[in-house]
Amino acid sequence: MNRIVTKEEFSKNPSVKMMQIEAPRIARKAKGGQFVVFRLNETGERVPLTVADTDPEKGLVTIIFQEVGKSTMALGALEVGDCLADFIGPLGQPTHMGDFGTVLCVAGGIGIAPTHNIVKALKANGNKVISIIGARTKDLLFWEDKMRDLSDELYVCTDDGSYGIHGLVTKVEQELLEKNRESGEIGLVIGIGPPIMMKFVCKTSEPFGVQTLVSLPTIMVDATGMCGACRVTVGGETKFVCVDGPEFDGHKVDFDEMLKRQGIYLEQEKVAVERYQHGNDCGCCDECGGDQ
Amino acid sequence: MAEEKKVNKAKKLPRHPMPEQEAKVRARNFEEVPFGYSNETAMAEASRCLRCKKPKCVEGCPVNVKIPEFVGLIADGDFIGAAHKLKETNALPAVCGRVCPQESQCEALCVLTKKGESVAIGRLERFAADYERKQGEMQLPKIAPATGKKVAVIGGGPAGLTVAGDLVKLGHDVTIFEALHKTGGVLVYGIPEFRLPKAIVQAEVDYLKSLGVKIVESYVVGRIETVDELLERFDACFIGTGAGLPVFMKIEGENLNGVYSANEYLTRSNLMKAYLFPEYDTPIVKGKRVATFGGGNVAMDSSRTALRLGAEKSYIIYRRSMDEMPARDEEIHHAGEEGVEFLLLANPERLIGDEKGWLTGVECIKMELGEPDESGRRRPVEIPGSEFVVEVDTVVVAIGNGPNPLVPSTTPDLKTNRWGNIDADLETGKTSMTGVYAGGDIVTGAATVIEAMGAGKKAAVAIHEYLQDT
């Protein structure tokens, strides 16, 4: 159960990794936009990750993660054949599917992963998809080929100009929406990536009046609607990302509040990383033999 | 004459106190508060029971535990016999002995209360169950021959565990599907270690497994598999998914950092063991000044957890007075002893934060009690202009829970009421769907462990009957 079947490192600094997990039921059931929760071991925390891809036939679920804290670092340290204590899902609402005409998907960094699964679903539902993928620098880009295969048009950007278009994803988004003013074919924008990027994807699309969905990566515990750790304000109302989301109307999301809430455990996160990187004792040099 | 003497003697003999950790010490650790009775004290306390011919206490128990019989066995020194007697009707005696509100159930009806204190039924229940567990050998009851019928139990809390235990004994093939990674529901995520050690819950769950109950954890019914899909491979379903939807105050500032629902605060601490961070990975805000809103058991658990996490001040802010508090007397008493401060007749109106989004205080308004409302409790009324601010860095909102919508919202044929609770017959658990039963908080709204178990017992009887006819 929950066995790691493949593992690949996409980039080193920061470390981004891809894993395929053996989870046949989830692989059959998960739809675009949904997420899973993993727990490494008995002392582990519950961490949500959006599904990047599924292979229902082989019973595999693909996750892509950046090593930002102790849990993702420890996950990245596991090897093929290792098992996760828990791999729970699919959770959250799938991306609402309908006839949107053309959908513009804007993905930043690690956000390329969930976007891929959504684009897959959108295409299966007969939509035309234009995708923009971007990252800080060339090394942090991944799945360009997969995204190209799925999308009707693909634009690739890097912040530093090391590959593709030099600039932020929102620059291309702006241009495409300008062009769209006349044709009006883009009926939906989906923006997924770091919170700050999603905020600006929404700011960019707002003047054009095009509906924009974002997928929110909030902190969660049970992820079944029980605790409210993931709450966000959407249109003045409190929503739970785990059961009402993870996708919301980006023009109504209070991103500033969400960004503040994302920082609740920064201090503890530092302690945990320190402890993880320096062995399991006090996190010190161990010269005192534990006396101090 | 002799009988009368016995009555008088028992009435005069006070109830035996249960030794417990000293308040100051225990307020800083997560060890269980009471130590339990010794064999001698248990026998002495049990001998206070008059063994009434028509015992009232049994009527006060939602699962009708054979109270005079088990208490009598303890008085005779047959502790194992007492434990077995308990288990005839109650699958979780070690739990109930600890968390039941006995003072408003069995003990409230004890004839001794007329002139003195009731027999300490809860403490004796706990004693017998603990005695058996410590002996290591749990006696397995007779299991009826396999019926070949399969039952899915959704939710591994008190209701689900009870249904599973009763049905497996009747020979049915029972599988519990639990959404979290540990079975026990509120017993593992909600009630703290110091009130209900998790090893005890685990022992009860292991006991059910030894009876043949299958348990699938980390399986979120409604998402991975719907009730309708389960019915394709099971003959009947029981839904006991509990009251897992936190209610917030809907006041300004509720999404500030440092504001928790009681569910989150307790789940982090209990299920995820955040009090052991960084040994365990899940963090929790260890506030120095913590306010808990509410006056129920969950509020007491939260305010006492705050102390154990290192709070210098732990307040309960409750809009009525001490008399209306719904928590068990023992919890209120324990909280007070440990240093929890009660700000009564006060209602939070607004949460105040700094520019970084962290909570700094709560503005409350003073209340006074007016006429009784539909619950019979006197309605609190605001006193205009009486606002005051309490400086706090953490708030825990413990004002109740709604039904978790995950299963109802993914089961189109399942009727719910306007609050989202599943419409089920209170005597049988029967729902609007054939072969689907429900019980516990998902039906009644937030109630007690034992009431959920009572609902489970009734549903098990009904499901068994239903399976005979299929």
Side-chain angles (χ1 to χ4, degrees):
Chain A
M1 277 270 275
N2 314 331
R3 199 165 54 91
I4 300 166
V5 178
T6 63
K7 177 184 173 183
E8 195 181 323
E9 188 173 59
F10 282 167
S11 70
K12 270 208 156 42
N13 190 28
S15 176
V16 174
K17 285 174 181 151
M18 187 272 285
M19 281 178 179
Q20 282 183 301
I21 312 290
E22 194 173 59
R25 274 184 177 276
I26 301 177
R28 280 203 299 274
K29 202 84 178 188
K31 297 198 171 103
Q34 288 189 302
F35 65 94
V36 292
V37 161
F38 76 84
R39 196 175 65 113
L40 284 174
N41 49 38
E42 266 319 292
T43 57
E45 62 183 331
R46 296 169 66 99
V47 185
L49 279 180
T50 316
V51 173
D53 201 1
T54 53
D55 185 337
E57 250 121 72
K58 290 188 187 150
L60 303 178
V61 176
T62 306
I63 52 172
I64 294 174
F65 56 96
Q66 185 174 332
E67 297 185 359
V68 287
K70 187 216 156 164
S71 294
T72 40
M73 288 175 188
L75 174 64
L78 295 182
E79 296 301 340
V80 169
D82 289 341
C83 291
L84 305 174
D86 296 294
F87 196 68
I88 307 148
L91 297 166
Q93 306 286 345
T95 309
H96 174 69
M97 286 296 149
D99 183 13
F100 305 110
T102 299
V103 183
L104 176 60
C105 292
V106 189
I110 199 80
I112 297 169
T115 305
H116 169 267
N117 213 29
I118 293 168
V119 173
K120 208 169 152 184
L122 285 167
K123 287 307 295 177
N125 277 270
N127 291 280
K128 183 181 170 190
V129 178
I130 304 174
S131 300
I132 309 169
I133 61 171
R136 220 172 54 229
T137 185
K138 185 185 174 218
D139 290 348
L140 299 179
L141 279 172
F142 58 88
W143 277 11
E144 183 191 343
D145 50 342
K146 284 185 129 196
M147 288 298 284
R148 195 177 299 281
D149 288 348
L150 281 173
S151 312
D152 296 275
E153 287 174 42
L154 179 78
Y155 298 86
V156 187
C157 342
T158 50
D159 297 4
D160 64 358
S162 54
Y163 185 75
I165 301 160
H166 187 172
L168 302 172
V169 284
T170 42
K171 188 176 114 181
V172 184
E173 180 195 1
Q174 172 85 26
E175 288 167 11
L176 289 172
L177 288 173
E178 294 278 3
K179 262 194 240 163
N180 187 55
R181 249 189 227 283
E182 279 159 37
S183 67
E185 63 177 73
I186 296 176
L188 178 69
V189 174
I190 299 180
I192 304 181
I196 198 77
M197 168 235 150
M198 289 194 280
K199 182 178 163 176
F200 283 98
V201 167
C202 294
K203 278 219 155 127
T204 305
S205 68
E206 201 163 15
F208 295 94
V210 182
Q211 194 200 341
T212 302
L213 288 179
V214 290
S215 179
L216 303 181
T218 52
I219 295 168
M220 295 183 189
V221 185
D222 65 284
T224 61
M226 205 185 78
C227 83
C230 61
R231 61 196 190 276
V232 288
T233 303
V234 182
E237 257 183 78
T238 293
K239 295 281 181 191
F240 288 1
V241 173
C242 68
V243 285
D244 301 323
E247 288 167 17
F248 293 99
D249 181 342
H251 295 145
K252 292 183 180 164
V253 170
D254 184 342
F255 281 104
D256 294 339
E257 179 189 89
M258 189 189 102
L259 280 160
K260 285 174 187 165
R261 288 188 63 79
Q262 290 296 85
I264 299 180
Y265 300 107
L266 282 180
E267 259 175 57
Q268 287 96 325
E269 195 58 54
K270 261 188 229 157
V271 171
V273 167
E274 187 87 350
R275 195 168 176 272
Y276 176 71
Q277 289 175 332
H278 296 90
N280 286 331
D281 298 321
C282 61
C284 69
C285 56
D286 202 29
E287 297 234 79
C288 63
D291 290 342
Q292 283 161 40
Chain B
M1 270 315 271
E3 191 68 12
E4 202 166 291
K5 262 189 196 160
K6 203 171 130 196
V7 173
N8 286 332
K9 195 181 149 206
K11 277 177 185 166
K12 275 184 204 140
L13 203 65
R15 187 181 157 104
H16 294 78
M18 184 162 53
E20 57 190 26
Q21 282 196 70
E22 207 246 308
K24 270 203 184 123
V25 175
R26 69 175 193 245
R28 300 293 171 197
N29 70 48
F30 276 85
E31 308 286 310
E32 190 176 12
V33 170
F35 298 121
Y37 278 154
S38 66
N39 296 3
E40 296 71 30
T41 316
M43 286 172 75
E45 178 62 28
S47 62
R48 291 179 66 229
C49 176
L50 301 179
R51 309 202 193 182
C52 306
K53 285 223 172 64
K54 286 182 187 162
K56 287 275 175 207
C57 51
V58 180
E59 293 168 25
C61 175
V63 299
N64 305 119
V65 162
K66 295 168 180 165
I67 295 166
E69 282 102 316
F70 99 80
V71 172
L73 287 163
I74 293 178
D76 297 342
D78 180 4
F79 306 143
I80 290 283
H84 294 166
K85 186 55 74 182
L86 275 163
K87 282 204 170 155
E88 284 177 20
T89 45
N90 183 351
L92 311 170
V95 172
C96 291
R98 286 170 167 83
V99 304
C100 267
Q102 290 98 3
E103 73 264 17
S104 58
Q105 295 180 341
C106 53
E107 293 179 8
L109 300 176
C110 174
V111 69
L112 291 185
T113 53
K114 284 185 185 153
K115 280 213 179 122
E117 289 178 296
S118 76
V119 174
I121 301 167
R123 294 172 184 176
L124 290 172
E125 179 179 31
R126 163 199 166 118
F127 166 79
D130 287 358
Y131 185 89
E132 189 200 22
R133 194 180 63 256
K134 282 178 199 153
Q135 295 299 302
E137 282 280 312
M138 304 271 244
Q139 189 206 40
L140 296 186
K142 278 210 179 98
I143 307 274
T147 61
K149 303 284 184 190
K150 293 173 75 183
V151 182
V153 173
I154 305 161
L161 292 173
T162 305
V163 170
D166 283 8
L167 288 176
V168 84
K169 283 188 235 169
L170 293 164
H172 304 301
D173 180 356
V174 184
T175 307
I176 295 177
F177 295 100
E178 167 57 46
L180 292 171
H181 57 264
K182 267 213 168 66
T183 301
V186 74
L187 308 177
V188 294
Y189 76 73
I191 303 176
E193 180 77 16
F194 56 82
R195 198 147 79 78
L196 179 64
K198 301 309 142 211
I200 288 171
V201 182
Q202 193 55 50
E204 308 272 31
V205 172
D206 288 344
Y207 170 73
L208 286 181
K209 282 191 195 163
S210 69
L211 298 183
V213 174
K214 294 170 203 156
I215 299 182
V216 182
E217 286 162 343
S218 295
Y219 199 88
V220 184
V221 172
R223 293 271 187 253
I224 186 89
E225 192 168 9
T226 62
V227 170
D228 292 287
E229 287 166 332
L230 280 171
L231 284 172
E232 289 168 17
R233 57 190 188 108
F234 288 90
D235 299 293
C237 270
F238 174 82
I239 305 170
T241 46
L245 180 74
V247 174
F248 284 93
M249 303 278 294
K250 298 204 189 309
I251 56 175
E252 186 188 326
E254 224 164 4
N255 292 348
L256 286 165
N257 292 355
V259 182
Y260 285 110
S261 73
N263 275 359
E264 181 183 356
Y265 196 64
L266 294 174
T267 300
R268 282 182 182 274
S269 182
N270 299 329
L271 175 73
M272 305 310 298
K273 304 239 181 291
Y275 67 90
L276 297 174
F277 177 89
E279 194 188 319
Y280 280 70
D281 293 341
T282 304
I284 193 166
V285 173
K286 293 185 176 179
K288 288 285 161 233
R289 300 172 63 89
V290 184
T292 302
F293 303 164
N297 289 325
V298 175
M300 299 306 137
D301 286 345
S302 302
S303 65
R304 297 171 72 195
T305 295
L307 286 176
R308 286 158 172 81
L309 289 171
E312 285 153 16
K313 286 275 180 192
S314 179
Y315 302 104
I316 287 276
I317 300 181
Y318 180 55
R319 63 196 180 120
R320 305 185 203 237
S321 75
M322 203 66 119
D323 290 341
E324 288 83 22
M325 271 202 187
R328 289 173 81 207
D329 291 350
E330 184 176 292
E331 308 314 325
I332 299 172
H333 171 73
H334 275 153
E337 269 187 347
E338 289 167 11
V340 171
E341 291 173 46
F342 293 86
L343 302 180
L344 302 171
L345 291 164
N347 201 32
E349 290 214 303
R350 185 166 73 93
L351 296 168
I352 306 160
D354 62 19
E355 68 286 351
K356 287 184 175 156
W358 282 88
L359 176 77
T360 56
V362 49
E363 185 182 288
C364 301
I365 188 163
K366 288 187 180 158
M367 312 290 276
E368 59 190 349
L369 292 178
E371 294 299 308
D373 62 13
E374 62 275 13
S375 73
R377 295 182 296 178
R378 292 178 64 191
R379 187 192 298 276
V381 186
E382 290 180 0
I383 303 173
S386 66
E387 289 85 355
F388 64 101
V389 172
V390 187
E391 270 181 49
V392 289
D393 53 23
T394 309
V395 150
V396 183
V397 182
I399 57 165
N401 278 293
N404 190 301
L406 238 169
V407 169
S409 69
T410 52
T411 316
D413 296 334
L414 192 65
K415 283 210 180 100
T416 54
N417 67 18
R418 62 189 165 117
W419 297 283
N421 296 105
I422 295 176
D423 243 330
D425 186 295
L426 291 179
E427 287 309 307
T428 61
K430 248 174 104 66
T431 69
S432 55
M433 288 171 76
T434 308
V436 179
Y437 296 75
D441 285 3
I442 188 68
V443 172
T444 57
T448 61
V449 168
I450 189 72
E451 281 167 294
M453 292 177 61
K457 279 212 111 49
K458 289 174 181 169
V461 172
I463 292 170
H464 180 59
E465 268 172 33
Y466 168 77
L467 291 174
Q468 307 298 301
D469 304 333
T470 55

